[in-house]
Amino acid sequence: MDNQSATKDWCRHTSTYRGTKMAGKPTRGVFQTIWKHFIESIKPRRFRGDLVGTDHFGTKYYETPLHSTSSKKKPPRYFEPVNKDDFQQEVPAEWEAWLRYRRKEPPSDAEVLQSLALMKTKKKNAAELESALEATRSSKSKPAPLPEAIGFPTYKDYQYPEGFKDSKE
């Protein structure tokens, strides 16, 4: 086996063959990579995301496409509330899951409306239970007061032996 064929075999095992990847694309040099990143840094970037959807509150949800030189793996997702001064904005659970990358696709309108109907039903049932509880509380007399404090119990088995002097005394 000559030296050249040994080099070819070695290159195949390391997934390169004479400066090219096995897929056939040439490897890039350092200067080419620097030049590409320089050109990409000059190009205007897109800071505004694509509108993905809105919820029943009117909040708009956006996703910004990744830049070609970005090292991020996931595209940035954000939302714009209707009232920008309200920091306690209520976000539906489906949209929050999408914002936190727990789901890939944004929720559909039907899914959000179904969740909203379930939420309203639960609030209505909770209000009925609360009013029923208040009615039972008002019909009962006031609870009996707690008995006076008796003190710490003493047990014969746990008494100090005769002649023992307590360090606190």
Side-chain angles (χ1 to χ4, degrees):
M1 191 158 124
D2 63 347
N3 191 18
Q4 190 176 14
S5 64
T7 306
K8 287 181 183 177
D9 290 340
W10 178 81
C11 289
R12 276 193 202 110
H13 288 73
T14 57
S15 77
T16 58
Y17 179 69
R18 292 188 184 181
T20 60
K21 294 264 184 199
M22 292 302 284
K25 292 183 180 181
T27 57
R28 295 193 177 257
V30 174
F31 293 112
Q32 291 159 333
T33 305
I34 291 171
W35 180 254
K36 178 186 168 196
H37 285 275
F38 174 72
I39 294 298
E40 288 294 325
S41 68
I42 294 174
K43 290 180 181 177
R45 291 191 181 179
R46 193 169 153 205
F47 291 107
R48 187 79 174 159
D50 297 328
L51 180 65
V52 176
T54 58
D55 63 9
H56 55 279
F57 297 120
T59 305
K60 296 178 182 177
Y61 297 89
Y62 295 94
E63 184 173 41
T64 306
L66 283 177
H67 197 261
S68 62
T69 59
S70 176
S71 62
K72 294 181 180 179
K73 294 180 181 177
K74 298 176 182 176
R77 296 175 175 175
Y78 63 96
F79 68 97
E80 287 183 3
V82 176
N83 185 4
K84 295 185 181 180
D85 297 331
D86 185 16
F87 291 107
Q88 295 183 354
Q89 176 71 29
E90 188 175 337
V91 178
E94 292 83 10
W95 280 109
E96 185 174 351
W98 179 79
L99 285 170
R100 295 177 183 262
Y101 301 100
R102 284 188 239 139
R103 59 185 298 162
K104 291 180 181 179
E105 298 298 321
S108 65
D109 290 336
E111 189 178 357
V112 174
L113 290 175
Q114 181 183 6
S115 177
L116 179 65
L118 181 64
M119 181 181 68
K120 287 181 180 180
T121 304
K122 286 182 179 182
K123 282 184 179 181
K124 184 182 118 196
N125 290 344
E128 289 174 2
L129 284 173
E130 186 67 30
S131 63
L133 183 63
E134 285 295 322
T136 58
R137 284 184 185 165
S138 63
S139 65
K140 289 184 179 177
S141 62
K142 290 187 178 181
L146 295 174
E148 292 295 323
I150 300 171
F152 194 77
T154 56
Y155 300 101
K156 186 176 179 183
D157 294 343
Y158 297 114
Q159 298 280 332
Y160 289 115
E162 300 226 2
F164 181 79
K165 197 168 193 179
D166 192 9
S167 63
K168 293 182 183 178
E169 291 178 2

